[in-house]
Amino acid sequence: MLVVMQSHATEEQVREVCRKIEALGLRPHPIPGAQRTAIGITGNQGALEAGSLEEMPGVGEVIRVSKPYKLVSRDLKPDNTVVRFPNSHVSIGGKDVVVMAGPCSIESREQALTVAEQVAAAGAHFLRGGAYKPRTSPYSFQGLGEEGLKIMAEARERFGLLIVTEAVDNESLDLVEEYADMIQIGARNMQNFSLLKRAGRARKPVLLKRGMSATLEEFLMAAEYVMSEGNYNVVLCERGVRTFADHTRNTLDLSLIPAVQRLSHLPILVDPSHGTGKRNKVLPMARAAVAVGADGLIVEVHHDPDHALSDGPQSIVPEQFAVLMSEIAQIAAVLHRGVIAPVHSSTAIARETLRPAVAR
Ligand code: PEP
Ligand code: MN
C-alpha cells in the first residue's frame, strides 16, 4: 500500500498520516519526491483497508501496490533518487556520471596510496578496494581487515576521494560503516538477508551488487530489504552473471540497466571489471555502460596488476584508466550528461606531499 500525498500537503499532514500508519501497527516510509511526498507502508502481511487513510487531510490517493517490491518501485517515487554524500559535491543518480576506481584488494599502504593518487589524478570520485575479501578459496588472500580500512581513510585524507568498500558480515559492517563513505554488499552476499537488514540500519549509503545468478526481481527485492529497514540510500550495481559463455568471467548484462530504470527510482552502476574478467574488455564495456545509461562505473585499477593479490587479470593500469575517463566523458555528452567534477582539483599538490611518504 502506498499513500500519495497532495502536492501542497504540509509536513504536519505527512506526519499525521505516518502516526496513523504506526497506530495500525505498520511502518511508514515517507519518501519526498520532486512533485509530492509518497508514504510507503510495510509490515502488512495481507491486504490493508485503505478507507481511513484516504479521508485524511493532505492525502491525494491510496494505491495498492501489486508488485512484490514497494519502496524501490517507481510507483512510490517517479523521479530518480539522487544519493548525496556529506561535505562533498559528489552524488550518485543525478545528471552526471560517477566513477569509483581502485584495486580489487587493499594489499598494502604503498599499493593503495599509489593507485589512489593515480585514479584521483585521472578524475575518479571514489576509491574502491576490499579490506574484507570474499574469496572462493580459504587459502587465498582474505584482506587486511581494519588495517585496510585505515589505509583507505588515509587515502581519503590525502586525495579527497570518497571511500567504498565491502562488508562481508555484520561484524565487518560495523567497521566499514565507521570508516567508509559507502558500504558495498558483494554479489555473493546479495541474498544474505541478515546482512541486508543490518545495512538497512546503517547510516551510510549502500552499494548493492547483483548476485551472480539473480533475476531482476530478486535483485530489486534485495534492495527492498535494505530500504525496508529505513536506509533509502541504495545504489544498485550490475557486475555480470554466470552463463554458458566462457570467453569472459561473467556475462555483463547491460540490458538490466534500462530494465531497472523502468521499474525503480534507484541509481544503477556497472562494474565492467568483474563483468568481463579480462583487462582488454574493460574499456569497451565501460563505454557501453555509459552509453546504455548507467549512472556510473566501478572499475578495478592496479599499478602492477601482474603482482596483484586478487583480480589482477581484470585490473586495468592507471594509464588505461585515464583513457577510460576521457572516453566516457565524450559518450556521456551524447546523452546530455557529464562526468562529475574531480574531487581534488589540486591533486598536483597532493602528489607533492605523497612523494616523501611512499617509497617507489
Ligand atoms: C569486488 O568488488 O571486488 C567484488 C568481490 O565484487 P563482486 O561482489 O561483484 O564479485
Ligand atoms: Mn575484485
Side-chain angles (χ1 to χ4, degrees):
M1 192 83 90
L2 165 63
V3 179
V4 180
M5 300 300 290
Q6 293 167 342
S7 56
H8 57 267
T10 64
E11 283 179 24
E12 183 47 35
Q13 287 172 337
V14 172
R15 276 195 295 272
E16 197 52 45
V17 173
C18 289
R19 278 194 285 271
K20 173 87 180 178
I21 293 166
E22 277 163 357
L24 293 168
L26 305 168
R27 183 164 181 176
H29 300 267
I31 313 270
Q35 308 299 330
R36 79 297 191 268
T37 293
I39 307 169
I41 304 175
T42 59
N44 52 315
Q45 304 294 332
L48 195 70
E49 195 41 64
S52 55
L53 290 169
E54 222 152 33
E55 299 310 322
M56 292 184 74
V59 171
E61 55 178 332
V62 180
I63 300 172
R64 212 171 291 284
V65 183
S66 54
K67 302 187 186 85
Y69 44 86
K70 303 176 193 315
L71 305 175
V72 307
S73 169
R74 274 208 193 272
D75 295 340
L76 177 68
K77 188 170 181 286
D79 44 311
N80 294 339
T81 283
V82 179
V83 174
R84 297 177 198 284
F85 296 85
N87 309 317
S88 169
H89 69 279
V90 174
S91 62
I92 307 177
K95 181 168 176 286
D96 293 341
V97 166
V98 71
V99 180
M100 307 178 173
C104 178
S105 302
I106 301 299
E107 301 168 6
S108 68
R109 179 172 175 270
E110 177 179 353
Q111 172 250 16
L113 295 184
T114 301
V115 179
E117 178 192 12
Q118 301 198 44
V119 298
H125 312 104
F126 276 79
L127 176 67
R128 63 139 292 142
Y132 299 90
K133 296 304 302 178
R135 302 303 299 279
T136 302
S137 165
Y139 310 119
S140 300
F141 177 60
Q142 302 285 310
L144 296 180
E146 187 172 4
E147 184 53 32
L149 299 177
K150 288 185 177 161
I151 293 169
M152 293 190 89
E154 183 180 349
R156 171 174 47 211
E157 286 306 305
R158 283 175 178 271
F159 306 113
L161 292 161
L162 295 165
I163 302 302
V164 58
T165 190
E166 180 167 354
V168 292
D169 49 27
N170 287 6
E171 198 183 332
S172 56
L173 200 146
D174 289 346
L175 286 166
V176 167
E177 183 180 10
E178 189 181 322
Y179 285 94
D181 300 290
M182 191 168 202
I183 302 160
Q184 179 175 328
I185 304 290
R188 290 158 192 78
N189 275 314
M190 192 208 79
Q191 285 190 318
N192 180 339
F193 300 117
S194 67
L195 187 62
L196 294 174
K197 286 187 195 170
R198 171 64 186 87
R201 292 190 294 273
R203 297 172 314 279
K204 300 271 173 77
V206 172
L207 178 65
L208 177 64
K209 299 188 86 176
R210 181 185 184 185
M212 324 198 169
S213 61
T215 63
L216 170 54
E217 187 166 303
E218 287 164 344
F219 192 19
L220 292 179
M221 290 308 286
E224 185 82 15
Y225 259 93
V226 179
M227 292 186 75
S228 70
E229 293 290 326
N231 189 346
Y232 307 130
N233 289 314
V234 180
V235 175
L236 304 171
C237 178
E238 159 61 25
R239 48 78 72 206
V241 287
R242 187 68 68 88
T243 70
F244 55 85
D246 58 4
H247 63 287
T248 50
R249 178 179 177 186
N250 292 295
T251 296
L252 191 62
D253 180 12
L254 290 181
S255 69
L256 185 86
I257 306 337
V260 160
Q261 288 169 340
R262 201 182 163 105
L263 298 175
S264 176
H265 53 87
L266 294 176
I268 181 157
L269 308 186
V270 168
D271 174 348
S273 308
H274 294 87
T276 63
K278 303 222 161 113
R279 189 175 308 145
N280 64 41
K281 294 178 177 57
V282 171
L283 185 48
M285 296 313 279
R287 291 192 296 248
V290 173
V292 86
D295 295 299
L297 300 170
I298 177 165
V299 186
E300 289 187 341
V301 180
H302 199 293
H303 65 296
D304 184 12
D306 290 346
H307 295 102
L309 296 182
S310 61
D311 287 350
Q314 68 192 34
S315 299
I316 57 173
V317 295
E319 293 73 19
Q320 290 172 308
F321 179 67
V323 173
L324 180 153
M325 290 300 289
S326 129
E327 292 191 356
I328 64 160
Q330 295 172 64
I331 291 169
V334 175
L335 303 173
H336 309 289
R337 300 181 94 174
V339 174
I340 296 172
V343 285
H344 209 299
S345 51
S346 51
T347 309
I349 300 167
R351 200 173 298 142
E352 283 312 308
T353 58
L354 179 63
R355 221 155 248 142
V358 175
R360 285 171 193 258

